[in-house]
Amino acid sequence: MKTDLAKILSVRGQHGLFNYIAQSRQGAIVEALDTKKRLNVSASAGITSLADISIYTTEEEIKLQEVLLKMKEVLKDAEAPAPKAPEADFKALFEKALPDYDRDRFYVSHMKKVAEWYNILSKYASLDFLTDEEREAEAAKNEEA
């Protein structure tokens, strides 16, 4: 099954990634990808959809989905470096996966976060992503039902 990055959320102050379940009065009901534990997250908590995240390069910004796919090509079946790995490991990975990343605006802390997300998605979801066209077709199908 393909992963819809528009429904995968990062929540400020919370470890890991969350699947959007439903809207609530205060914000959103989400489910942790790893533990399947559900939480009610306040709208003011800083909720970001992974589909809305881009990485700076020297030419333009690249959608996170494309970056994750490039990482998959480089890593094959291996995991990305763990958060405690040396900085050089993250830089080496992104040199291969995204050689033109903007060294002034894409920091090692960002690399660690993207690598962590990559590992979570590969373990608990899929690195096969819905395209914008597939997402629109699915939304239209749900409206008809």
Side-chain angles (χ1 to χ4, degrees):
M1 186 167 169
K2 292 188 174 191
T3 300
D4 184 358
L5 286 184
K7 293 184 178 180
I8 304 296
L9 309 174
S10 171
V11 179
R12 189 178 336 121
Q14 297 287 329
H15 179 73
L17 292 173
F18 300 86
N19 193 23
Y20 173 82
I21 302 298
Q23 188 172 343
S24 70
R25 275 189 254 158
Q26 295 87 15
I29 299 170
V30 298
E31 180 179 81
L33 287 181
D34 55 354
T35 64
K36 303 296 184 203
K37 181 180 172 187
R38 290 191 178 191
L39 325 162
N40 188 2
V41 180
S42 168
S44 63
I47 302 170
T48 305
S49 164
L50 294 192
D52 295 336
I53 296 174
S54 296
I55 306 299
Y56 295 113
T57 68
T58 55
E59 300 296 318
E60 59 187 339
E61 292 181 12
I62 304 281
K63 289 276 191 196
L64 179 64
Q65 178 172 325
E66 292 177 46
V67 174
L68 293 170
L69 292 172
K70 289 179 181 203
M71 290 172 66
K72 182 180 175 184
E73 288 175 20
V74 169
L75 292 168
K76 310 265 188 272
D77 291 331
E79 285 190 0
K84 301 273 186 200
E87 286 186 8
D89 292 357
F90 294 99
K91 289 180 179 179
L93 170 61
F94 283 94
E95 283 286 336
K96 292 178 188 166
L98 197 64
D100 62 339
Y101 75 87
D102 188 331
R103 279 128 182 95
D104 294 329
R105 297 193 291 177
F106 186 55
Y107 306 113
V108 173
S109 60
H110 301 143
M111 294 176 191
K112 288 181 178 186
K113 182 64 68 180
V114 172
E116 178 185 13
W117 291 342
Y118 177 90
N119 288 336
I120 292 170
L121 288 170
S122 65
K123 190 171 185 179
Y124 299 106
S126 166
L127 293 171
D128 186 17
F129 303 114
L130 280 179
T131 64
D132 290 338
E133 295 80 23
E134 290 170 328
R135 191 177 298 115
E136 289 169 12
E138 191 173 291
K141 185 174 73 173
N142 289 340
E143 285 179 11
E144 291 173 5

